[in-house]
C-alpha cells in the first residue's frame, strides 16, 4: 500500500506543479463548455435542455486531454519498467495512476460542474444528480482511458489515436450519466441509470486494471 | 475441436488447407450471391408497404450479419493470438478487420439509402443504427492501432487486446444504446420489416447470406495468405540487410 500511496503522491505532484496537466485540464473544461452557447445560440431553454449533455461530453474530452501522457513519461524515463519489475502487482500500480489521473482530471470536473450547470441554465434541482452522475462516471473515464493510453505507448501518432479507440468504449457511461439527469427532468426514476453506472464502475474497474497492465507489459517487452 | 484449431495454427498446414478450400468458397460465393441477388432483386415480390425499397434488404441484412460475425471472429482469433501466441491467428484477425469494416460500412450505407424513402431521412439515431455505427468505430480503432507502430508485431498485439476489450464492451454498448433510445424517443421507432417475413423473401435473403458468408471465407483466406507472404518477405528482407553489411 505504501507503493500505492507513493505513486499517487508522485503523480499528483507531477500534475499540479509547473508544466503539469491539472490546471490545463480544468481550464480546458471551462472554456470548452463556454464555447457551446456560441455554437448553438444563447436561448436559455435550449441550453437548459442540452446542459447535461454538453457538460458530460466536455468532461469526456477533458479526461482525454491528459490521457496520452499518462504512461508516456514513465515509459521514456524507465520508471514503467521499475514498476513492472517491482514486487507490487502492476494492476495495483495502474490503479494508483488511474486514481491520480482522476483526481487531477475527473474530480475538478465534478467540483466545477454545478458552476457550469448554472452557466447553462440547468434546473437547480438537477444539479446534484449531475454531480453524482459525474462522480460515478469520471473514474470510469479514467479507467477506460488508461487502457487506451497503455495501448498506444510507442505508437507513431498517439494523440488522436487515443481518442479514436477510447471514445466509442466510453459511450455507455456517458449515456447513463446523462440519462440520470434526463430522468429527473422528465420525471422518471433517477436511481436505475445511476445504479447501472455504478455497476459499470464496479465491474469495469478490475477488467480495466487487468487490460491496462497487460497492455503495459506489451509496451515494455 | 481445440486440437484441430491448434493444428490450424501451423502456417504450412493452413496454406495447404486454404489452397483446397479457396476454389470451393469462391464458387459458393459467386453462385449463392448471384442467384440470391437475381431472386431477391428481380424475382421476389415487392413489399406491400415499402414497395421495391425492400430489395435493399437483400444486401443490407447479410452485410450487417457479416459485420457482426466478423467482429466476433476477430475477437476469438485475437484471444487465441494473445493466449496461445498463435501468430497465424493474430494475422488472420488483422486480415478480417478491413473486411468487417467494409461490411459495416455497406450495412450503414445501404441502411441509409433504405431510410431515405422509407423513413424520409438518411439517418435516425435509432438504437440499431447507432450500435452499428459504434461497431464501425471499433473497427476503425482496431485498424488505426494496428497500423500505428513501426514494429508491426507490437501493433498487432495492442490491437488484439483492443479487440478483446471491444467484444466485452459491445453488449454493454448495445444495451446502453437501446436504453438511451427508448428514453429519448418512446414509441416513435418505425418498425423495420414488419412482424414477420414471408418465405418468398426469406429464401433469397438466406441464399444471399450464404453467398456473403462464403465470400467472407474466401476473401479472408486470400487476405491471410497475402499477409503471411508479406510478413515472410519482411522477415527475409530483415535477414538480408543483416547479412549484407
Amino acid at each position: 500500500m505504501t507503493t500505492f500511496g507513493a505513486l499517487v503522491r508522485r503523480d499528483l505532484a507531477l500534475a499540479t506543479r509547473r508544466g503539469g496537466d491539472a490546471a490545463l485540464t480544468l481550464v480546458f473544461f471551462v472554456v470548452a463548455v463556454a464555447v457551446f452557447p456560441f455554437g448553438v445560440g444563447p436561448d436559455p431553454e435550449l441550453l437548459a435542455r442540452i446542459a447535461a449533455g454538453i457538460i458530460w461530453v466536455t468532461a469526456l474530452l477533458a479526461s482525454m486531454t491528459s490521457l496520452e501522457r499518462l504512461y508516456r513519461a514513465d515509459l521514456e524515463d524507465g520508471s514503467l519498467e521499475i514498476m513492472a519489475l517491482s514486487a507490487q502487482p502492476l494492476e495495483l500500480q495502474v490503479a494508483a495512476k488511474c486514481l491520480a489521473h482522476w483526481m487531477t482530471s475527473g474530480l475538478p470536473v465534478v467540483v466545477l460542474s454545478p458552476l457550469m450547470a448554472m452557466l447553462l441554465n440547468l434546473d437547480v434541482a438537477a444539479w446534484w444528480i449531475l454531480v453524482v452522475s459525474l462522480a460515478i462516471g469520471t473514474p470510469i473515464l479514467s479507467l477506460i482511458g488508461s487502457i487506451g493510453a497503455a495501448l498506444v505507448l510507442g505508437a507513431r501518432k498517439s494523440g488522436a489515436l487515443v481518442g479514436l479507440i477510447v471514445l466509442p468504449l466510453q459511450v455507455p457511461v456517458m449515456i447513463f450519466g446523462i440519462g440520470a439527469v434526463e430522468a429527473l427532468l422528465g420525471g422518471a426514476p433517477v436511481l436505475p441509470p445511476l445504479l447501472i453506472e455504478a455497476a459499470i464502475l464496479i465491474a469495469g474497474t478490475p477488467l480495466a486494471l487487468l487490460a491496462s497492465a497487460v497492455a503495459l507489459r506489451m509496451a515494455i517487452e | 475441436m481445440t486440437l484441430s484449431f491448434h493444428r490450424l495454427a501451423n502456417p504450412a498446414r493452413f496454406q495447404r488447407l486454404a489452397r483446397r478450400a479457396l476454389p470451393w468458397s469462391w464458387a459458393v460465393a459467386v453462385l449463392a450471391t448471384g442467384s440470391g441477388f437475381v431472386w431477391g432483386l428481380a424475382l421476389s415480390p415487392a413489399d406491400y408497404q415499402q414497395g421495391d425499397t425492400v430489395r435493399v434488404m437483400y444486401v443490407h441484412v447479410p452485410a450487417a450479419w457479416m459485420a457482426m460475425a466478423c467482429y466476433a471472429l476477430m475477437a476469438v482469433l485475437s484471444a487465441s493470438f494473445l493466449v496461445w501466441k498463435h501468430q497465424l491467428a493474430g494475422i488472420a484477425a488483422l486480415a478480417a478487420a478491413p473486411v468487417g469494416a467494409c461490411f459495416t460500412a455497406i450495412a450503414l450505407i445501404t441502411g441509409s439509402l433504405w431510410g431515405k424513402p422509407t423513413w424520409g431521412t438518411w439517418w435516425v439515431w435509432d438504437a440499431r443504427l447507432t450500435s452499428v455505427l459504434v461497431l464501425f468505430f471499433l473497427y476503425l480503432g482496431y485498424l488505426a492501432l494496428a497500423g500505428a507502430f513501426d514494429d508491426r508485431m507490437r501493433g498487432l498485439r495492442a490491437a488484439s487486446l483492443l479487440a478483446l476489450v471491444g467484444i466485452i464492451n459491445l453488449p454493454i454498448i448495445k444495451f446502453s444504446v437501446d436504453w438511451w433510445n427508448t428514453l429519448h424517443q418512446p414509441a416513435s421507432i418505425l418498425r423495420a420489416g414488419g412482424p414477420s417475413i414471408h418465405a418468398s423473401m426469406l429464401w433469397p435473403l438466406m441464399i444471399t447470406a450464404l453467398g456473403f458468408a462464403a465470400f467472407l471465407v474466401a476473401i479472408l483466406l486470400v487476405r491471410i495468405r497475402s499477409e503471411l507472404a508479406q510478413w515472410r518477405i519482411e522477415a527475409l528482407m530483415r535477414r538480408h540487410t543483416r547479412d549484407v553489411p
Side-chain angles (χ1 to χ4, degrees):
Chain A
M1 255 346 187
T2 43
T3 321
F4 188 88
L7 252 180
V8 174
R9 272 198 303 279
R10 185 198 73 146
D11 270 26
L12 284 180
L14 282 175
T16 47
R17 291 201 184 139
R18 203 178 66 85
D21 297 321
L24 209 64
T25 310
L26 203 64
V27 175
F28 172 83
F29 174 67
V30 174
V31 172
V33 169
V35 160
F36 272 88
F38 296 106
V40 297
D43 174 23
E45 279 179 18
L46 173 70
L47 287 177
R49 169 77 191 74
I50 60 175
I54 291 176
I55 292 172
W56 253 98
V57 171
T58 316
L60 214 72
L61 298 177
S63 93
M64 200 86 36
T65 51
S66 53
L67 263 188
E68 195 221 333
R69 288 181 297 283
L70 182 57
Y71 297 112
R72 206 178 56 192
D74 292 339
L75 179 74
E76 283 166 0
D77 67 11
S79 35
L80 194 62
E81 289 183 34
I82 308 280
M83 284 162 64
L85 288 174
S86 87
Q88 300 289 327
L90 189 54
E91 286 80 1
L92 194 67
Q93 304 181 58
V94 168
K97 300 274 305 178
C98 289
L99 181 64
H101 179 261
W102 176 74
M103 287 169 80
T104 52
S105 71
L107 190 59
V109 164
V110 176
V111 172
L112 269 182
S113 57
L115 181 69
M116 296 293 112
M118 185 196 71
L119 284 181
L120 296 176
N121 197 34
L122 182 69
D123 190 352
V124 181
W127 287 13
W128 72 274
I129 292 288
L130 180 68
V131 171
V132 172
S133 78
L134 280 169
I136 304 173
T138 44
I140 313 175
L141 301 185
S142 292
L143 284 163
I144 298 179
S146 149
I147 305 177
L151 281 174
V152 301
L153 277 181
R156 282 191 302 270
K157 40 191 191 273
S158 47
L161 190 59
V162 176
L164 176 60
I165 62 181
V166 162
L167 282 175
L169 302 175
Q170 290 177 336
V171 164
V173 191
M174 191 176 69
I175 286 177
F176 292 114
I178 299 171
V181 180
E182 299 263 317
L184 184 86
L185 295 177
V190 175
L191 213 50
L194 285 181
L195 288 179
I196 296 173
E197 219 190 336
I200 295 178
L201 176 62
I202 293 166
T205 302
L207 290 175
L209 296 180
L210 208 67
S212 300
V214 172
L216 286 177
R217 288 199 190 93
M218 281 178 186
I220 53 178
E221 250 173 33
Chain B
M1 174 63 206
T2 1
L3 191 69
S4 61
F5 183 73
H6 288 303
R7 280 164 61 91
L8 245 160
N10 178 338
R13 188 174 288 125
F14 169 82
Q15 292 276 22
R16 276 202 303 280
L17 198 86
R19 262 197 299 276
R20 243 178 297 158
L22 206 47
W24 291 102
S25 32
W26 276 125
V28 175
V30 171
L31 283 176
T33 311
S35 54
F37 275 0
V38 170
W39 192 348
L41 300 183
L43 305 177
S44 80
D47 187 73
Y48 78 104
Q49 270 181 325
Q50 302 170 14
D52 280 331
T53 325
V54 75
R55 298 184 200 284
V56 174
M57 175 184 75
Y58 300 111
V59 182
H60 174 74
V61 173
W65 284 345
M66 292 313 127
M68 289 183 281
C70 217
Y71 199 91
L73 180 71
M74 232 171 76
V76 172
L77 289 168
S78 298
S80 89
F81 172 58
L82 289 178
V83 175
W84 293 296
K85 309 238 180 326
H86 290 327
Q87 287 205 16
L88 185 66
I91 291 170
L94 187 63
V99 185
C102 280
F103 274 124
T104 318
I106 291 171
L108 285 171
I109 292 168
T110 51
S112 168
L113 292 175
W114 177 83
K116 185 62 182 165
T118 318
W119 292 343
T121 170
W122 297 112
W123 183 264
V124 288
W125 288 92
D126 168 75
R128 295 182 111 179
L129 272 71
T130 314
S131 31
V132 172
L133 186 67
V134 175
L135 178 69
F136 186 57
F137 292 155
L138 289 179
Y139 273 122
L140 291 187
Y142 175 93
L143 283 168
L145 189 59
F149 292 85
D150 291 324
D151 176 4
R152 296 223 302 159
M153 193 45 91
R154 162 87 181 94
L156 187 54
R157 285 154 54 88
S160 302
L161 185 60
L162 181 64
L164 288 185
V165 173
I167 201 87
I168 295 173
N169 252 274
L170 264 179
I172 305 172
I173 292 171
K174 178 80 183 118
F175 168 68
S176 70
V177 165
D178 282 345
W179 186 89
W180 164 76
N181 185 267
T182 46
L183 185 78
H184 277 248
Q185 34 171 298
S188 74
I189 306 157
L190 290 138
R191 284 185 314 159
S196 67
I197 184 165
H198 191 255
S200 62
M201 293 180 176
L202 188 62
W203 273 108
L205 181 64
M206 285 305 168
I207 291 171
T208 319
L210 174 70
F212 272 43
F215 173 77
L216 179 63
V217 171
I219 201 84
L220 276 183
L221 291 177
V222 171
R223 286 187 52 86
I224 294 169
R225 291 181 69 186
S226 75
E227 281 283 339
L228 280 175
Q230 177 80 26
W231 287 74
R232 194 162 158 66
I233 288 168
E234 278 170 22
L236 285 172
M237 280 173 73
R238 266 198 303 277
R239 196 182 307 161
H240 182 72
T241 43
R242 201 171 53 228
D243 290 346
V244 185

